[in-house]
Amino acid sequence: MANLTLIQAVNDGLRTAMSADPTVCVFGEDVGPKGGVFLATEGLTKEFGKNRCFDTPLSEDGIVGAAIGMAMNGLRPVAEIQFQDFIFPAFDQIVSEAAKLRYRSGGQYTAPMVIRTPFGGGIRGGLYHSQSGEAYFCHTPGLKVVVPSTPYDAKGLLIASIQDPDPVLFLEPKALYRKIKGEVPEGEYTVDLSTLRMVREGGDVTVFCYGAMVAVCEEAARTAAESGIETEIVDLRTLLPLDEDGVIEAAKRTGRVVVVHEAPRFCGFGAEISAMIAERCIEYMEAPVARVAGFDTPFPNTLEHHYLPDARRVLDAIERTARY
């Protein structure tokens, strides 16, 4: 196995999918010879040619609209939006066209396409390069929303997303691009969508998280263990469709839950986890569900380290929930 960073695993996943299937093509702003702003597509134009990995105009709605048309006509496009913050001009194409194509055509057409985009903070990108907009898209039936947190998952989930018959929004936590490394198998493998990953076992508190927050929660759990609190950490991985039964089973195991994400707290994804637990297993709960999230403000620049949940804030929530 190769020891890769998360961004290298994404690149390897794209290369593997393109080698296996000639209908897979990659495009977006600067993804061609330059290899993208984070070099996720480095070397793909040279290896596969400019007809399969190419640059587009600066038009997010055009990029996604083209991908929909390509997907309807036999290709498997992988469109890159340079930063998730820039995806909103394409919002209508994603939620009103791609996500609804199977339903509105009675199954005659599908949109087997992937939209890759870096999201979240951690690189001091300021308010226009640091947002976490996953909740907007998780409200959209017909769409899948995937967030890897390890190099292994990044490659396996990406290949699974490319092979999926419906549109997938693949959110890549850019704070992790070069921060973590891990073993990644060579060649093709997939990680099933809509499955959870058990990161750490523990019988006192269950923490649900995803993306860059997984490593933060691991750090908090290690500190909590020093005072005798054993924390279970569950990586959600696929937010839509979510493994709801898996979430409920994990919540029941401890009866104490903390949900962590870096998007704003109000109407964030943690609210759905909280509601799900209240509806399906409230009788098993020993404490209210705690949420640790970004603040309900625009994403700050100089105060990024205060805005993003850190191990200290997560640890505080774990300890309060354990003591309740």
Side-chain angles (χ1 to χ4, degrees):
M1 290 190 184
N3 194 35
L4 304 180
T5 63
L6 194 141
I7 193 70
Q8 289 172 331
V10 169
N11 182 273
D12 191 28
L14 292 171
R15 177 174 284 104
T16 300
M18 294 175 78
S19 297
D21 185 350
T23 68
V24 177
C25 53
V26 176
F27 54 93
E29 298 166 9
D30 295 326
V31 306
K34 178 180 173 61
V37 293
F38 294 102
L39 303 182
T41 56
E42 185 177 31
L44 298 183
T45 298
K46 182 177 181 180
E47 183 171 348
F48 297 101
K50 62 182 181 181
N51 289 330
R52 294 189 62 199
C53 182
F54 54 89
D55 294 334
T56 66
L58 305 183
S59 174
E60 286 74 21
D61 57 340
I63 292 169
V64 175
I68 295 170
M70 295 164 76
M72 291 176 63
N73 286 279
L75 298 178
R76 288 190 175 265
V78 181
E80 179 182 299
I81 302 298
Q82 199 169 79
F83 287 85
Q84 186 252 282
D85 311 63
F86 306 156
I87 205 168
F88 300 111
F91 192 82
D92 184 60
Q93 291 282 2
I94 296 170
V95 305
S96 297
E97 305 299 337
K100 293 177 174 59
L101 189 59
R102 178 187 290 276
Y103 179 82
R104 70 182 294 197
S105 70
Q108 295 182 72
Y109 296 98
T110 61
M113 55 184 279
V114 176
I115 304 169
R116 291 182 42 254
T117 187
F119 90 119
I123 65 165
R124 295 195 179 278
L127 72 167
Y128 285 123
H129 297 80
S130 306
Q131 297 176 82
S132 299
E134 62 272 20
Y136 295 114
F137 297 98
C138 289
H139 194 63
T140 307
L143 187 67
K144 293 182 173 68
V145 180
V146 178
V147 186
S149 66
T150 68
Y152 180 91
D153 278 359
K155 180 179 177 180
L157 289 169
L158 180 56
I159 294 174
S161 298
I162 293 171
Q163 295 175 353
D164 197 87
D166 291 302
V168 179
L169 179 62
F170 196 84
L171 299 173
E172 300 167 5
K174 55 182 176 287
L176 300 183
Y177 268 161
R178 292 175 174 82
K179 188 175 182 179
I180 60 172
K181 299 188 76 173
E183 290 189 342
V184 177
E186 297 180 5
E188 182 178 301
Y189 70 92
T190 60
V191 174
D192 290 342
L193 305 184
S194 193
T195 59
L196 309 176
R197 179 174 73 95
M198 178 64 71
V199 179
R200 178 189 176 102
E201 294 184 351
D204 296 321
V205 179
T206 300
V207 176
F208 295 107
C209 51
Y210 52 92
M213 291 295 100
V214 174
V216 172
C217 294
E218 287 185 275
E219 181 182 349
R222 287 192 293 268
T223 304
E226 296 173 2
S227 59
I229 302 173
E230 292 302 326
T231 306
E232 177 180 278
I233 299 177
V234 179
D235 180 3
L236 299 178
R237 296 199 295 197
T238 299
L239 305 187
L240 185 70
L242 180 67
D243 179 3
E244 296 187 19
D245 290 340
V247 169
I248 297 304
E249 289 172 10
K252 287 179 178 179
R253 280 196 292 269
T254 65
R256 302 175 189 271
V257 168
V258 176
V259 188
V260 183
H261 56 72
E262 60 184 272
R265 181 176 182 273
F266 190 80
C267 286
F269 196 76
E272 182 60 34
I273 299 294
S274 301
M276 190 183 304
I277 291 170
E279 291 170 353
R280 295 186 55 184
C281 65
I282 190 65
E283 67 273 22
Y284 290 87
M285 302 307 294
E286 303 290 342
V289 175
R291 288 181 286 166
V292 184
F295 301 112
D296 296 329
T297 68
F299 195 100
N301 187 3
T302 57
L303 298 176
E304 178 183 75
H305 58 294
H306 288 298
Y307 180 92
L308 290 172
D310 58 13
R312 176 187 54 81
R313 287 174 58 193
V314 175
L315 175 63
D316 179 65
I318 290 172
E319 291 177 337
R320 285 188 288 106
T321 303
R323 290 194 305 262
Y324 185 88

